[in-house]
Amino acid sequence: MNYMLDRINVLENKDAILNGADEIVTSLLDNEKLDKSEKLMTIELAMAKLNYELYNISGDSEENA
């Protein structure tokens, strides 16, 4: 985590990034419907969805059948 914080702390918009991350983590921690592993899976899925929304990259391999 220190590596990420070192990278973020030099950015002009660091406060917005840190606040956004805190909001996401707090939301997941407060969600009593999910266990710990499900909370981590939720973050992974959210990252994949955000990557797709921003760059139209799904990470799925294409199969020609």
Side-chain angles (χ1 to χ4, degrees):
M1 188 166 92
N2 288 335
Y3 171 74
M4 287 298 297
L5 290 175
D6 288 344
R7 290 176 55 200
I8 290 167
N9 279 327
V10 299
L11 299 175
E12 186 175 323
N13 209 15
K14 70 180 180 183
D15 291 332
I17 296 168
L18 294 171
N19 289 336
D22 286 341
E23 288 176 21
I24 293 167
V25 170
T26 299
S27 174
L28 281 171
L29 290 175
D30 290 346
N31 188 334
E32 296 178 3
K33 295 178 184 177
L34 302 172
D35 65 24
K36 290 179 181 180
S37 65
E38 291 169 334
K39 290 174 184 185
L40 290 172
M41 279 190 276
T42 302
I43 284 287
E44 291 178 30
L45 177 59
M47 288 175 46
K49 284 184 161 193
L50 184 58
N51 190 44
Y52 183 77
E53 291 296 324
L54 294 175
Y55 304 108
N56 282 344
I57 300 172
S58 70
D60 296 332
S61 62
E62 292 184 31
E63 294 182 17
N64 295 327

